[in-house]
Amino acid sequence: MSTLAFFLTQSVNALSQAALLFFLGVGLTLIFGIMRIVNFAHGALYMLGAFIGYSLVRWTGSFWLALVLAPILVALLGTAFELVILRRLYRRDAHAFLMVTFGLALVVTEAVRLIWGPDALQVPPPRLFSGVVFLLGEPFPTYRLFLAGAGAVMAIAIWQLLERTRLGLLIRATSQNAEMVHALGIDVGLVRSAVFGIGCGLAALGGVLAAPLVTASHAMAATVIIDAFVIVIIGGMGSFLGSLIGALLIAFVQVFGNYYLPDFALAFMYLVMLLVLVVRPGGLLGKEA
Amino acid sequence: MTFKPRYTRRAVLAGAGATIASPYIFTSAQAQAAGAIKIGMPLALTGPLGSVGQQQKRGAELYAKLQNAKGGILGRKIELLIEDTAGNPATCVRKAQEMVERYDCRLFTGITLSSEALAIVPKLAEWNSIFISSDNGDGRLTAESFVPNFFRANTSGPMGARAVSLYIKGAELKSFYALGMDYAWGHNSVQVFENEMQRLKINFIGKVFAPTGTKDYSTYIAKIRQSGADGVYLVLAGDDNNAFLAQAAQYQLSSKMALLTEQIELVALRAVGDASLGLIGSARYAFTFDTPANKEFVALWKAEHNNVPDTFEGEQWQCMKVFEAGIIKAGGIEADKLRPALEDLTIESVKGKVLIRKCDHQGVQQGFMVKVVKRDGFDHPIPEVLAVLPEDRTTPPCNKMTYDD
Amino acid sequence: MRWSSLLGLAVVAVLIAAPLGLPAFAMTLLTELVILGLFAMSLDLMVGYTRLVSFGHVAAYGLGAYACGYLLLNTSLPLPFAVLLAAVMTGTVAIGVGWVCTLATGVSFSMLTLAFAQLLYAIAFKWTSVTGGSDGLAGIPRRAGPMGLTVLTTKTGFYYFALAALVGSYLLCRQLVASPFGAVLRGIRENETKTLTLGYNTRLYKIAVVAISYALGGLAGALYAPFAGFANTELLFWLLSGQVLIMVIVGGSGTLIGPILGAAFFLLLEHQLSSYTEAWALFFGLVFIGFILFAPQGIWGLLTAWFKRDWMRLEKGRRHGT
């Protein structure tokens, strides 16, 4: 493989990885930005998305349908959880949210095991993206191109949502000053429920998209939650752009780092996080000092 | 803030406290069926390796059910003590200790993770208990970490690596690259393979290790591709194995080189489907093994579970047969009687003849190389036997993890 | 309050008498509870008294366990010295950890503690020659004490050693918390800016409490290694950090005793539930959610409320002659 081909394919690999990390991180950062909740259940919801996606693909035969429906179902679940349980806890300190989302993670993880069994399940990629293209002579899976593209599309869509729509305006305003928004007569509770639901839905979307690459598996929940935290912290808690940058940074560091220094593969993410936090304690685009 | 009636909260707290504390304070051991043979299995029933633990449980349960229907062993019923460790060695030690101290259980099997086994093994002497492993493949357990109360009925990691190397001798592959999981098993297995390649004068181009929990193998696939090797030796398991196989298929890696692996299991084949076609590797147990005992076992399994048995179900079955033969020969279950009875024990098992040799208690058994193919009657690929390798060639020398010839 | 001291003495007396009455496995469990209780209590200094929420407290536990395990396997140090030395080593390392982590506050602080714990996990995993890699250190002996004090090698002897460590640490913490040092910690908890303006170098205090907290956590880990006979990377897995934080919250943060009760509750509940059903994790999660919703002040809060009300009722009853 020539050096150019190598860098090209590895960069596209990194972009596809970044897309998955971005879906994971953006939901978490939105939830934190608005509600100051560190959502420990985020990984479990990602996993739930993958398993629901598996079932939907089996029943309908369509990956695309699963891609749309699974996030919606999980978003509804998240919103329900927020309405029934999280609502009661806003007056309390952060400990409460920590424990409650930790509890939710345990419940969801075990529920998935009970419903779908302990084995990993196959989710095949959509027929449209099951093949390869040749980048400078090297085969490259079209599914990863799709992932990179989906990530870019989603990033733009969320950006537009935040900048151009009324909901986006409310979200941004609530994250800066919830009381003011309330004083203006807006139902802040509704904004919070919507954001929590959207955040959970985005996590599930990430899970469905990841499933053709890694299968729907039970270890997913525990392994991705750390990744999510790291990306969001590096980018800055509550910053949408930050989660995008964090995802790209981590993906590129891991792809090229694992290639040249495989011995440090386990540590890369944390070294980067450490470096960023020491230099900028709030994260790259964060507000906390 | 919600206000609950005082007495309700108090009652709940008191009730919870009593429920949690009482068994330990008031009883020391529950009444057991008189003379039952208790076999303790602190398994990983939940958690990332839950799939393996569940297999071990099913294997043991079917054996116990069928054997008890025949009157048990030496007229005593078999009682399985099954607990969930969630793959945590601390929990495993706690559960095992409870089995010994509370239930006077002195026989163990089905400890899922090698890290759990390594934590348990030093305590066997203190507990005066015998442990026969059904899935722990760490070479150390019959080498540096060996203790007299430990027995291994299953194929070990080094034996799997050796089986692959013996098979390669006959094949047309001239150069190899290796990818393993970055922990003890991965390193050990790749090392054995590398030694074998050097002995066979086959070009071992290089190796790389991926941390457990790696989700994206694109970098590693690129490395493997770039090496230009004829074949790649894979030492991966569980989710990591599934992720790699799925992604390698997407990169069409198998069109460029042969994929050989140390361990082939049905769960993986079901999880990745057609992505596993063409994979060749060592199988610790497969339902397609052609021995009389296996035909019988598979028929029994199908009758019970309406499915074919997987790797660890078969390994656990073999292990229970070793227990049975040992206990009959010893005439009892006490460690001092059972230990010498198990040594030099031979049984005819699902994998053919198995001899528990005296020097390091390893079960000397054949090695099987399989290829993953599609066959009618199954909605997922299955492992078909390619070659059977003789036991004296596949089992390492006593107390060692590497081979001399 | 006198009743609390009486209660405390009564509890310690019961714990001391325990080996006489409890069966073997109950004693094993109780020893583990004592160790875990110490671990949880050590975190309370940070979380409950200074509002420094650590997501990486396993680092203390794991460091202590590995250090003690290494010392016991590779030197001939008597058990108590190995344990104490391991705790001191952990506390020393924690000064550096605290120095870096206190560069940030809030969630960033928590994440930095997590980063350190994960790095430690990675090091333990890879530094096979010292830590045994993924297999860890096995066969850690429960060696005798100095001057041939073999009582420590017995189950009961070791239990008393662990109990002494717990009670000693508790008394130390209580002194600390009641002292001027503790007052500054509470100041930092309530309003750090104000404490700063009062002239205190809050960062130094924070680093100090991190070091002490980690040292005590390391003590717990150092006790675990000879207790269980092994130290491996699972002791450094981040999930345990989350669990010990839960123990502190469920038990009642900022009370020192609460987290010990939280640890006991957690371990006993997990042990019992897992023997009843494979789906124990589900009920476990529901219990946490239930606690947060219905018993926010934690176990200790519930117990003290119960005692106080009864006490007040008793007082009232005595005065009115009923």
Side-chain angles (χ1 to χ4, degrees):
Chain A
M1 203 193 296
S2 71
T3 332
L4 183 61
F6 170 73
F7 272 101
L8 183 63
T9 47
Q10 292 310 92
S11 299
V12 186
N13 273 328
L15 285 175
S16 66
Q17 239 192 75
L20 287 177
L21 292 173
F22 170 67
F23 284 122
L24 200 53
V26 73
L28 194 65
T29 211
L30 278 177
I31 292 176
F32 183 81
I34 307 302
M35 308 157 92
R36 294 287 178 270
I37 297 176
V38 179
N39 184 16
F40 260 105
H42 214 68
L45 295 166
Y46 180 88
M47 179 177 74
L48 184 62
F51 277 92
I52 292 181
Y54 161 82
S55 288
L56 287 171
V57 169
R58 283 200 68 142
W59 292 337
T60 68
S62 163
F63 180 83
W64 304 109
L65 212 60
L67 196 63
V68 168
L69 283 179
I72 292 177
L73 285 171
V74 175
L76 288 173
L77 189 75
T79 313
F81 183 74
E82 197 276 338
L83 284 170
V84 172
I85 300 196
L86 291 177
R87 279 265 162 136
R88 306 192 190 195
L89 304 176
Y90 288 120
R91 296 192 190 288
R92 306 253 288 269
D93 60 25
H95 290 172
F97 290 124
L98 219 103
M99 258 187 68
V100 142
T101 53
F102 194 87
L104 179 65
L106 284 175
V107 171
V108 169
T109 307
E110 183 58 22
V112 165
R113 192 190 73 92
L114 287 171
I115 298 174
W116 281 277
D119 296 342
L121 299 172
Q122 183 190 18
V123 181
R127 226 154 314 177
L128 192 60
F129 292 113
S130 296
V132 292
V133 289
F134 284 88
L135 295 176
L136 296 180
E138 294 299 323
F140 194 85
T142 48
Y143 188 71
R144 287 186 183 245
L145 288 174
F146 162 65
L147 276 181
V153 164
M154 217 45 194
I156 295 174
I158 296 178
W159 173 48
Q160 291 297 297
L161 175 84
L162 288 175
E163 293 292 317
R164 300 284 175 91
T165 67
R166 184 174 160 75
L167 177 63
L169 182 65
L170 289 175
I171 290 175
R172 280 183 293 131
T174 313
S175 79
Q176 283 174 15
N177 195 332
E179 277 173 24
M180 202 54 185
V181 173
H182 181 67
L184 289 171
I186 310 284
D187 185 350
V188 176
L190 218 62
V191 177
R192 287 200 175 116
S193 302
V195 167
F196 194 75
I198 293 174
C200 294
L202 284 168
L205 181 63
V208 180
L209 287 172
L213 284 184
V214 300
T215 72
S217 70
H218 294 273
M220 254 181 161
T223 46
V224 299
I225 187 72
I226 293 273
D227 295 352
F229 280 156
V230 170
I231 296 161
V232 167
I233 283 292
I234 289 179
M237 280 288 216
S239 161
F240 155 74
L241 197 58
S243 64
L244 185 61
I245 294 178
L248 284 165
L249 182 63
I250 289 292
F252 273 88
V253 166
Q254 276 194 324
V255 165
F256 288 98
N258 287 3
Y259 186 86
Y260 291 110
L261 297 168
D263 275 331
F264 289 88
L266 198 58
F268 276 131
M269 240 185 355
Y270 308 109
L271 288 171
V272 173
M273 179 161 85
L274 212 68
L275 227 72
V276 168
L277 285 178
V278 165
V279 170
R280 278 188 69 90
L284 292 171
L285 296 176
K287 295 149 206 134
E288 257 180 80
Chain B
M1 219 179 0
T2 35
F3 287 99
K4 298 216 105 204
R6 229 170 45 204
Y7 60 87
T8 312
R9 223 195 296 186
R10 254 196 285 159
V12 166
L13 193 69
T19 319
I20 293 171
S22 58
Y24 302 109
I25 296 180
F26 298 122
T27 63
S28 67
Q30 296 173 358
Q32 308 291 325
I37 296 176
K38 285 174 243 175
I39 301 182
M41 299 180 75
L43 301 159
L45 291 173
T46 61
L49 265 84
S51 158
V52 175
Q54 295 283 354
Q55 285 183 41
Q56 293 173 303
K57 177 177 168 216
R58 281 194 292 268
E61 280 179 338
L62 182 63
Y63 172 81
K65 174 175 161 179
L66 295 175
Q67 192 64 27
N68 280 346
K70 290 193 250 174
I73 303 176
L74 296 176
R76 296 164 74 171
K77 295 271 185 200
I78 301 162
E79 192 184 321
L80 298 174
L81 271 64
I82 295 180
E83 291 279 353
D84 183 16
T85 69
N88 185 345
T91 313
C92 186
V93 169
R94 195 184 313 131
K95 295 284 185 183
Q97 188 124 7
E98 182 179 24
M99 290 176 188
V100 171
E101 289 178 337
R102 243 179 114 192
Y103 301 109
D104 197 28
C105 171
R106 308 281 168 172
L107 303 171
F108 286 100
T109 182
I111 293 181
T112 316
L113 276 76
S114 278
S115 57
E116 293 177 320
L118 286 165
I120 294 282
V121 154
K123 298 206 158 223
L124 291 174
E126 178 192 326
W127 293 340
N128 202 22
S129 302
I130 299 267
F131 168 35
I132 306 184
S133 154
S134 59
D135 98 311
N136 304 115
D138 195 319
R140 243 166 296 231
L141 288 166
T142 45
E144 296 99 79
S145 310
F146 173 72
V147 301
N149 284 1
F150 173 80
F151 291 82
R152 175 156 43 206
N154 55 287
T155 307
S156 70
M159 288 163 74
R162 171 75 160 184
V164 177
S165 332
L166 288 173
Y167 170 78
I168 287 172
K169 219 156 74 161
E172 283 300 308
L173 303 159
K174 296 282 178 280
S175 55
F176 265 93
Y177 196 80
L179 167 67
M181 281 167 80
D182 196 3
Y183 73 103
W185 170 58
H187 283 272
N188 181 218
S189 188
V190 170
Q191 190 58 57
V192 172
F193 185 76
E194 190 177 346
N195 294 349
E196 294 300 295
M197 290 301 100
Q198 275 158 9
R199 200 205 314 286
L200 294 171
K201 309 259 191 299
I202 294 180
N203 188 7
F204 185 82
I205 298 182
K207 59 191 173 187
V208 70
F209 295 96
T212 26
T214 301
K215 291 173 286 297
D216 192 320
Y217 281 89
S218 52
T219 327
Y220 301 99
I221 293 172
K223 267 207 152 114
I224 293 171
R225 233 202 164 78
Q226 278 189 320
S227 70
D230 285 341
V232 58
Y233 177 61
L234 303 166
V235 188
L236 304 164
D239 293 331
D240 300 50
N241 189 30
N242 296 342
F244 176 82
L245 289 176
Q247 291 169 33
Q250 286 167 1
Y251 279 94
Q252 298 184 345
L253 190 64
S254 53
S255 63
K256 199 160 187 234
M257 51 178 54
L259 267 61
L260 281 86
T261 177
E262 196 226 86
Q263 215 181 348
I264 290 192
E265 309 172 47
L266 269 185
V267 232
L269 304 187
R270 276 198 293 260
V272 302
D274 289 352
S276 61
L277 287 174
L279 189 65
I280 293 177
S282 160
R284 293 190 183 182
Y285 168 83
F287 72 95
T288 47
F289 287 178
D290 188 14
T291 67
N294 197 29
K295 291 214 170 6
E296 191 189 325
F297 170 58
V298 173
L300 287 169
W301 194 269
K302 276 188 183 159
E304 176 82 8
H305 291 287
N306 211 17
N307 207 345
V308 287
D310 198 350
T311 308
F312 298 108
E313 289 158 344
E315 285 274 40
Q316 188 67 57
W317 181 268
Q318 172 164 299
C319 185
M320 302 310 279
K321 289 291 186 187
V322 171
F323 262 114
E324 177 187 325
I327 292 173
I328 290 176
K329 183 173 161 198
I333 60 170
E334 294 72 33
D336 290 325
K337 280 200 269 181
L338 190 54
R339 196 184 314 114
L342 284 170
E343 291 170 347
D344 285 328
L345 184 74
T346 305
I347 64 168
E348 271 304 320
S349 174
V350 290
K351 295 201 237 175
K353 188 177 85 141
V354 177
L355 158 72
I356 306 288
R357 68 183 176 195
K358 187 166 171 170
C359 55
D360 63 358
H361 298 176
Q362 170 67 47
V364 181
Q365 56 199 287
Q366 301 175 113
F368 293 83
M369 285 298 288
V370 299
K371 181 171 181 167
V372 179
V373 297
K374 226 175 169 61
R375 287 283 175 266
D376 287 330
F378 296 95
D379 56 0
H380 54 79
I382 63 166
E384 212 168 59
V385 179
L386 268 183
V388 179
L389 305 152
E391 58 259 33
D392 56 338
R393 301 287 291 148
T394 57
T395 319
C398 276
N399 292 112
K400 289 180 69 173
M401 295 195 289
T402 50
Y403 297 79
D404 295 327
D405 65 333
Chain C
M1 274 187 291
R2 257 189 10 130
W3 68 266
S4 70
S5 314
L6 276 173
L7 181 68
L9 281 170
V11 168
V12 174
V14 167
L15 287 174
I16 292 177
L20 299 171
L22 290 180
F25 183 65
M27 279 314 301
T28 307
L29 210 60
L30 189 58
T31 316
E32 194 169 354
L33 284 177
V34 165
I35 295 174
L36 221 55
L38 176 58
F39 183 39
M41 185 184 76
S42 71
L43 184 59
D44 197 20
L45 274 181
M46 283 174 69
V47 171
Y49 288 93
T50 330
R51 194 165 287 162
L52 288 172
V53 179
S54 166
F55 285 167
H57 211 54
V58 266
Y61 198 67
L63 255 178
Y66 269 103
C68 184
Y70 187 82
L71 288 170
L72 285 172
L73 282 171
N74 295 300
T75 69
S76 50
L77 270 177
L79 188 82
F81 296 159
V83 167
L84 287 170
L85 186 58
V88 167
M89 283 165 69
T90 310
T92 316
V93 171
I95 296 176
V97 174
W99 191 87
V100 175
C101 294
T102 51
L103 285 170
T105 58
V107 180
S108 297
F109 169 84
S110 307
M111 284 300 159
L112 276 170
T113 59
L114 177 65
F116 267 108
Q118 289 297 94
L119 283 174
L120 214 67
Y121 178 78
I123 292 173
F125 220 85
K126 304 284 294 178
W127 201 4
T128 318
S129 53
V130 167
T131 65
S134 54
D135 289 334
L137 303 170
I140 298 176
R142 221 181 272 180
R143 195 173 297 139
M147 300 171 285
L149 215 68
T150 51
V151 68
L152 286 177
T153 57
T154 67
K155 218 163 121 110
T156 315
F158 189 83
Y159 165 71
Y160 282 128
F161 181 55
L163 187 62
L166 176 65
V167 173
S169 306
Y170 169 73
L171 292 172
L172 174 72
C173 288
R174 214 172 67 162
Q175 270 305 101
L176 211 62
V177 156
S179 72
F181 181 80
V184 178
L185 291 184
R186 276 192 298 280
I188 296 174
R189 177 182 71 191
E190 300 307 323
N191 192 332
E192 188 172 351
T193 332
K194 209 172 199 179
T195 319
L196 260 172
T197 58
L198 284 170
Y200 290 101
N201 186 344
T202 53
R203 182 135 176 255
L204 274 179
Y205 281 86
K206 287 202 273 191
I207 296 175
V209 79
V210 168
I212 298 171
S213 176
Y214 270 57
L216 291 176
L219 181 62
L223 285 168
Y224 185 78
F227 165 73
F230 75 93
N232 72 10
T233 50
E234 285 299 311
L235 295 178
L236 282 168
F237 196 56
W238 62 268
L239 192 65
L240 185 56
S241 285
Q243 289 179 337
V244 68
L245 199 54
I246 299 275
M247 289 177 207
V248 171
I249 299 172
V250 162
S253 67
T255 62
L256 290 181
I257 300 264
I260 301 176
L261 296 175
F265 177 75
F266 191 100
L267 188 66
L268 287 173
L269 188 66
E270 181 184 341
H271 192 79
Q272 282 294 73
L273 273 181
S274 61
S275 58
Y276 291 152
T277 163
E278 262 177 42
W280 59 271
L282 192 104
F283 297 106
F284 216 37
L286 288 173
V287 165
F288 294 152
I289 297 178
F291 248 94
I292 278 296
L293 290 177
F294 304 123
Q297 65 280 60
I299 297 179
W300 184 242
L302 285 176
L303 283 177
T304 46
W306 181 28
F307 272 118
K308 275 201 193 125
R309 251 179 298 212
D310 273 353
W311 199 259
M312 282 199 309
R313 227 166 12 127
L314 263 163
E315 280 290 311
K316 272 198 211 140
R318 249 209 347 241
R319 254 183 270 142
H320 295 275
T322 49

